[in-house]
Amino acid sequence: MKQTVSKKLYFTLILVTVVFIVYVLGKNLVLDPQFTEFLSHKTKLSSSFVMPAWLSVVRVHIIFGCIAMLSGVANFSMRLLKRNRLLHRVNGIVYLLAVIAVIFTSGYLAPHSTGGKVNSIAFNLLNIVWLVFSITAYIAIKRRNITSHRKWMVRSYVFCFTNMLTHILLFISHDWLGFNYEASYTFGVYGSIVINLTAAEIVNRFVFKAPVKLLPNGLPALDR
């Protein structure tokens, strides 16, 4: 029963990830490549804002964000780990490098955040926490502590959904409840961080609560 629930949750995660990636790439790289609609809400841009540079960085940010989402969700598959450990390891490195790329590009984008400094601070703090969580997960697996590695990967991976949750909360606050855009965006940013951190601990406590047992061949005694 628990295994069935776990499989359903994992399938749902894959579905949400794929749908969101298709939406993001379609909207931002095909339908509105100049980010006209998004930029129209920025009212506190600093003098250092350079449109061509911003567009290039945000595109790189989006692409690596999608790579992190895909590689991350793939590596939660125990079937992949059991069938091809090398691919799992390589994919894990791809995830870590993609996260680092997202963090560095976010560092450039943060000073120009919608809503001003209050959101810039949030994004910069988020970047630090995300990097710490990801590196901690990497250190855990280097020490062969799979249980700790999995828990820290959950804490790291949830931040891939920051943008999605931010815009869901923005839509609820701005379009449904009628609050102004900047206040709604700020609510979305901080709300997404709280939801991500909470979701990670819920998953670790109720889905991945059992420690990982190793088989004689060094593989985890789990199946998905």
Side-chain angles (χ1 to χ4, degrees), residues 29-222:
L29 301 185
V30 179
L31 298 178
D32 188 14
Q34 298 302 310
F35 292 80
T36 305
E37 193 267 335
F38 182 69
L39 288 172
S40 67
H41 297 289
K42 292 185 178 291
T43 59
K44 299 178 182 179
L45 290 173
S46 66
S47 57
S48 63
F49 180 81
V50 180
M51 182 71 156
W54 186 91
L55 286 173
S56 297
V57 173
V58 78
R59 287 166 185 157
V60 172
H61 181 76
I62 289 172
I63 291 171
F64 276 103
C66 291
I67 292 173
M69 291 186 79
L70 280 176
S71 58
V73 75
N75 261 15
F76 279 108
S77 170
M78 299 309 299
R79 182 175 299 175
L80 173 64
L81 175 57
K82 287 189 172 185
R83 291 183 176 180
N84 196 324
R85 297 179 70 179
L86 178 59
L87 179 58
H88 179 88
R89 290 172 181 172
V90 171
N91 194 42
I93 294 174
V94 169
Y95 171 79
L96 182 59
L97 293 177
V99 167
I100 291 173
V102 172
I103 289 171
F104 272 94
T105 52
S106 178
Y108 173 85
L109 299 171
H112 312 297
S113 299
T114 302
K117 185 175 291 186
V118 65
N119 289 333
S120 297
I121 293 173
F123 283 124
N124 284 324
L125 290 175
L126 169 60
N127 289 336
I128 294 172
V129 172
W130 195 4
L131 182 61
V132 170
F133 284 4
S134 302
I135 292 177
T136 303
Y138 177 77
I139 293 173
I141 198 58
K142 293 299 287 185
R143 294 176 175 174
R144 298 183 59 81
N145 189 336
I146 298 179
T147 300
S148 177
H149 169 71
R150 187 171 63 177
K151 288 182 180 296
W152 283 107
M153 272 303 302
V154 170
R155 295 182 180 115
S156 170
Y157 185 67
V158 291
F159 287 120
C160 289
F161 296 91
T162 300
N163 182 266
M164 182 185 76
L165 289 172
T166 295
H167 283 84
I168 289 175
L169 294 175
L170 166 66
F171 179 81
I172 293 173
S173 180
H174 178 65
D175 295 83
W176 282 8
L177 301 179
F179 291 99
N180 73 69
Y181 191 92
E182 289 193 356
S184 298
Y185 190 82
T186 300
F187 168 69
V189 170
Y190 284 87
S192 68
I193 294 173
V194 172
I195 291 173
N196 282 331
L197 291 172
T198 303
E201 297 313 310
I202 289 174
V203 171
N204 283 334
R205 178 175 290 270
F206 296 104
V207 180
F208 293 147
K209 61 180 179 179
V212 179
K213 297 179 181 179
L214 296 180
L215 298 171
N217 60 3
L219 288 174
L222 295 172

